[in-house]
Amino acid sequence: MNTPSPHPDLPLDRYRSYLLLLARLQLDGRAQSKLDPSDVVQQTLLEAHAKQGQFQGNEDGLAAWLRRSLANNLKDALRALRRGKRDVRRETSLEAAMDHSSLQLAAMLPAEGASPSRQASRNEDLLLLACTLERLPEAQRQAVMLHHLHGWPLAEVAATLGRTDAATAGLLHRGLKRLRELMSSETQS
């Protein structure tokens, strides 16, 4: 049986938008006001770069490895914010929540079979979706994330964004439309 060999130059930067999206999904508004998700993602990528010789596996394994590292870095950052006030339930559930967010993100993509080539293609689509979400205007991105990734009802999204239900529905409609356009143009190029 062949064991995968260490990867000297992992394509880590391809995962930046994906990790940033996952970090944003895990941090509530209060934590985001004190903790920049970009900083945690940068730390995660720096650590992964330093430890890339230790990684053995395929593309799926790389995404899982990076998610675990991000979850650990988020736990550490949140712990530092609380200055010793530990919530063990939050720490242990963060990695599970990260995996759940990743599955919700994947659910936004059309379902495909499980062959290795299709799975690799799906992983590429997942990274493209995360990058494309970053290109949406902030209000549209927040509306799409809260409604489709967090599963919040329209009224709750509207209240959080300080908008009417109709305005929020418009943000969602325009955001999803723009997301489809951007993804379509990326896959055609």
Side-chain angles (χ1 to χ4, degrees):
M1 177 167 119
N2 291 342
T3 58
S5 60
H7 301 282
D9 291 315
L10 294 173
L12 298 173
D13 204 52
R14 292 180 52 220
Y15 289 86
R16 183 177 303 278
S17 293
Y18 172 67
L19 294 173
L20 184 58
L21 179 60
L22 291 177
R24 284 182 176 145
L25 287 170
Q26 298 311 310
L27 296 174
D28 62 20
R30 292 180 309 271
Q32 277 195 30
S33 67
K34 298 176 184 175
L35 179 65
D36 186 355
S38 298
D39 292 341
V40 180
V41 168
Q42 182 66 22
Q43 177 184 353
T44 300
L45 291 173
L46 285 171
E47 289 172 359
H49 179 72
K51 296 177 182 178
Q52 66 184 338
Q54 298 172 10
F55 175 74
Q56 293 184 336
N58 59 17
E59 193 90 10
D60 288 338
L62 179 58
W65 186 59
L66 290 170
R67 278 195 312 271
R68 275 191 308 277
S69 180
L70 178 64
N72 289 332
N73 287 334
L74 280 170
K75 283 182 215 175
D76 292 345
L78 290 169
R79 190 178 304 131
L81 281 178
R82 290 187 191 106
R83 294 186 193 124
K85 296 178 185 172
R86 290 186 65 181
D87 182 352
V88 175
R89 291 169 299 160
R90 176 70 177 143
E91 289 180 16
T92 56
S93 68
L94 190 57
E95 192 168 334
M98 190 85 61
D99 289 341
H100 179 71
S101 294
S102 180
L103 290 173
Q104 287 180 296
L105 185 60
M108 289 184 73
L109 298 172
E112 293 188 18
S115 73
S117 63
R118 286 192 183 196
Q119 187 60 39
S121 174
R122 188 163 174 80
N123 287 339
E124 290 294 322
D125 290 345
L126 189 58
L127 293 177
L128 176 62
L129 176 61
C131 288
T132 306
L133 272 167
E134 285 297 309
R135 294 174 52 195
L136 290 179
E138 179 67 22
Q140 290 177 8
R141 181 175 63 241
Q142 283 185 319
V144 169
M145 286 175 53
L146 292 173
H147 186 67
H148 291 285
L149 298 178
H150 280 289
W152 290 10
L154 181 67
E156 193 173 342
V157 174
T160 299
L161 298 179
R163 297 177 186 246
T164 65
D165 287 359
T168 303
L171 281 174
L172 283 167
H173 176 76
R174 288 188 307 277
L176 290 174
K177 180 180 177 187
R178 183 68 180 141
L179 193 60
R180 286 185 200 105
E181 290 169 355
L182 289 168
M183 288 195 64
S184 177
S185 69
E186 287 293 326
T187 56
Q188 291 175 2
S189 40

